[in-house]
Amino acid sequence: MDAEECLKEWEDLLTDYKRLETVNKDYIAKLEEVGELQSQCMKELEHQRYRMNVIAGALKRLEKKGVTKDERVANLEKEIMKRKAMLHEIKATLPKQNSMYLRIILGNVNVSILNKNDKFKYKDEYEKFKLVLSAIAFVLAVLNLYVDFRPLQLILIFLLVWYYCTLTIRESILKVNGSRIKGWWRLHHFVSTVVAGILLIWPQNEPWNEFRHTFMWFIAYISVVQYMQFRYQSGVLYRLKALGARHNMDITIEGFHSWMWRGLSYLLPFLFGGYVFQLYIAYTLYHLSYHPEATWQVPYLAALYLLLHFCNMYTILRTLRKKTQGGLKLRYKLRAIAYRLSNEVAVLEQKWRQSKVESKTE
Ligand code: COA
């Protein structure tokens, strides 16, 4: 290219640049419009919540006064429950503030995933991450059962510190994005990080030698339980998504419901087995704390395992109670509908993009 050609190219590029400027202006205007729509949605959402609370409060007062519930009131209560679930789904499409924990760890970066399909992918990836790490932990725990090599023990314990710490971040992101994960399951991973941290600095003394086999068996056991949990959770995730695509949801929701209970009846005995194991560990550590060589780590770990046992038991029993109460099918149906809606939006988006490409090529 000589100087003349360079100048001509530059002139040419200028017209392209003008086009880019126009598109960018359009884009910024649209972003502003989106921002305005988002704050409008938030206001409307708050308005809905406020008025629903007033109605729900009035219904409660009537119930306290002993006014008998007629069919209309029972229907209204059902409608309120439906509306609450729909508001939850609407809220999930709006950007959210990071929790304090995420703000401290990640800073004020936006982790909101506004598209349900992307959320699905993120959740799926989270489950797969847990599965892979559990498989590695299982192999290391079994190796440690047969080989007494301190660095190998430290590798496993360090892996656990990192794994639980990572889970707390991923679960906080899931929570920001509308997951209904119970507070304890998240807190459980914070406590597990502390447990693994204390294990890491437990000196290699006689109490550790007496305890390490029990610990390795426990890790191997919960890795297997983790695999079962993975099967159950991904089953729920994929079935809900598929359910959203079906036309007659009422029939398939029945199928989903019975599948869920079958899955749970298979998983629950193993979960309870894990909690009994935690109790046994707490008891073993309590005894070890009287050992002349026992360091401060032993009683603290005993107390933490006991805490894990009780809170796990309490939360799981509460979850089961909630599942046996009314409204479960309806809640799952609404979640499936949310998938359907986001699928429809994704299809429309794709069609719109395709028509744009076609109109450009013409
Ligand atoms: N870890 C992460 N997320 C969990 C969770 C857990 N332990 N338990 C439930 N969730 C999530 C679900 O995936 C769902 O997420 P979503 O809103 O994004 O779809 C949400 O929390 C609500 O779940 P819920 O309907 O209450 O329960 P579920 O049917 O999905 O799962 C259990 C019920 C009992 C199977 C599940 O809570 C569980 O496996 N708990 C045991 C955990 C444990 O004890 N681990 C240590 C083993 S020793």
Side-chain angles (χ1 to χ4, degrees):
M1 246 194 255
D2 57 17
E4 201 58 38
E5 272 174 330
C6 282
L7 280 169
K8 197 176 167 297
E9 279 291 310
W10 180 247
E11 284 298 313
D12 250 20
L13 198 59
L14 193 65
T15 41
D16 289 355
Y17 177 69
K18 288 266 183 291
R19 199 172 57 230
L20 169 64
E21 257 186 350
T22 325
V23 174
N24 187 245
K25 258 186 207 156
D26 225 24
Y27 168 66
I28 289 171
K30 288 252 159 39
L31 275 186
E32 270 170 21
E33 205 182 318
V34 166
E36 274 166 26
L37 287 173
Q38 281 172 345
S39 48
Q40 210 177 322
C41 266
M42 280 177 201
K43 258 191 213 154
E44 292 292 339
L45 202 70
E46 275 315 307
H47 177 70
Q48 283 283 324
R49 280 215 179 118
Y50 173 75
R51 291 196 62 181
M52 266 169 61
N53 280 344
V54 173
I55 300 170
L59 287 180
K60 253 193 196 147
R61 276 193 296 279
L62 284 178
E63 203 178 328
K64 267 190 192 158
K65 273 186 198 162
V67 179
T68 43
K69 242 194 247 179
D70 61 15
E71 203 185 321
R72 282 179 319 157
V73 175
N75 263 343
L76 179 60
E77 278 177 350
K78 213 171 158 189
E79 286 303 317
I80 290 178
M81 205 177 111
K82 264 194 212 171
R83 181 73 54 84
K84 267 191 189 160
M86 287 325 278
L87 291 185
H88 180 91
E89 295 305 333
I90 291 179
K91 195 173 168 221
T93 62
L94 298 169
K96 268 142 257 115
Q97 280 270 319
N98 283 357
S99 61
M100 175 128 91
Y101 180 61
L102 280 181
R103 269 207 302 274
I104 291 170
I105 291 203
L106 304 176
N108 215 3
V109 64
N110 188 1
V111 293
S112 300
I113 310 168
L114 302 182
N115 180 304
K116 190 92 182 165
N117 278 318
D118 292 342
K119 267 183 205 170
F120 171 84
K121 276 190 208 141
Y122 189 74
K123 179 85 190 276
D124 192 38
E125 211 186 277
Y126 156 81
E127 293 296 341
K128 283 184 182 144
F129 170 78
K130 285 206 288 189
L131 181 71
V132 171
L133 265 292
S134 301
I136 298 173
F138 177 80
V139 173
L140 286 173
V142 172
L143 273 178
N144 273 304
L145 278 172
Y146 293 101
V147 187
D148 180 10
F149 184 49
R150 183 63 177 161
L152 198 60
Q153 295 164 13
L154 289 177
I155 287 174
L156 171 62
I157 301 171
F158 185 75
L159 181 83
L160 292 178
V161 176
W162 176 78
Y163 168 62
Y164 287 125
C165 208
T166 313
L167 282 191
T168 61
I169 302 171
R170 286 188 180 233
E171 280 157 5
S172 300
I173 295 177
L174 283 171
K175 186 75 190 164
V176 166
N177 285 295
S179 171
R180 294 164 180 88
I181 175 169
K182 303 250 174 339
W184 167 251
W185 300 134
R186 286 173 62 218
L187 192 60
H188 176 282
H189 292 140
F190 281 97
V191 177
S192 300
T193 312
V194 176
V195 166
I198 296 179
L199 280 165
L200 198 62
I201 52 172
W202 183 344
Q204 203 185 5
N205 50 16
E206 195 43 39
W208 166 251
N209 280 332
E210 283 182 31
F211 174 66
R212 84 187 149 83
H213 268 88
T214 312
F215 176 68
M216 297 306 166
W217 274 113
F218 177 66
I219 295 298
Y221 180 81
I222 56 165
S223 301
V224 175
V225 176
Q226 187 57 61
Y227 169 70
M228 293 166 133
Q229 274 177 276
F230 168 80
R231 296 271 311 262
Y232 171 79
Q233 290 294 356
S234 12
V236 171
L237 207 59
Y238 279 88
R239 275 177 179 78
L240 274 182
K241 199 167 191 262
L243 212 60
R246 303 267 161 79
H247 290 297
N248 197 344
M249 214 182 259
D250 285 330
I251 297 169
T252 44
I253 206 89
E254 283 295 333
F256 173 81
H257 192 242
S258 63
W259 173 87
M260 186 200 77
W261 280 112
R262 242 182 302 130
L264 279 178
S265 60
Y266 178 60
L267 172 65
L268 285 173
F270 290 91
L271 281 176
F272 283 119
Y275 304 156
V276 171
F277 211 148
Q278 282 170 338
L279 189 64
Y280 172 70
I281 287 184
Y283 173 77
T284 310
L285 286 168
Y286 169 73
H287 262 268
L288 276 177
S289 67
Y290 288 102
H291 194 287
E293 276 184 51
T295 46
W296 65 268
Q297 286 90 350
V298 187
Y300 275 87
L301 284 173
L304 287 173
Y305 271 104
L306 196 65
L307 175 79
L308 285 176
H309 165 79
F310 280 119
C311 294
N312 279 343
M313 282 296 252
Y314 174 74
T315 314
I316 205 132
L317 291 176
R318 250 191 61 195
T319 307
L320 290 178
R321 207 178 129 231
K322 196 147 185 240
K323 279 188 189 290
T324 48
Q325 280 169 353
L328 182 74
K329 284 183 199 167
L330 183 64
R331 275 202 296 276
Y332 277 114
K333 187 171 171 175
L334 290 165
R335 277 162 77 179
I337 289 173
Y339 273 115
R340 175 188 287 178
L341 291 177
S342 71
N343 275 344
E344 279 167 8
V345 170
V347 169
L348 284 176
E349 234 176 53
Q350 210 180 353
K351 271 190 188 159
W352 178 76
R353 281 214 186 100
Q354 226 169 359
S355 68
K356 275 231 143 186
V357 172
E358 276 165 12
S359 65
K360 261 189 192 166
T361 47
E362 272 168 17

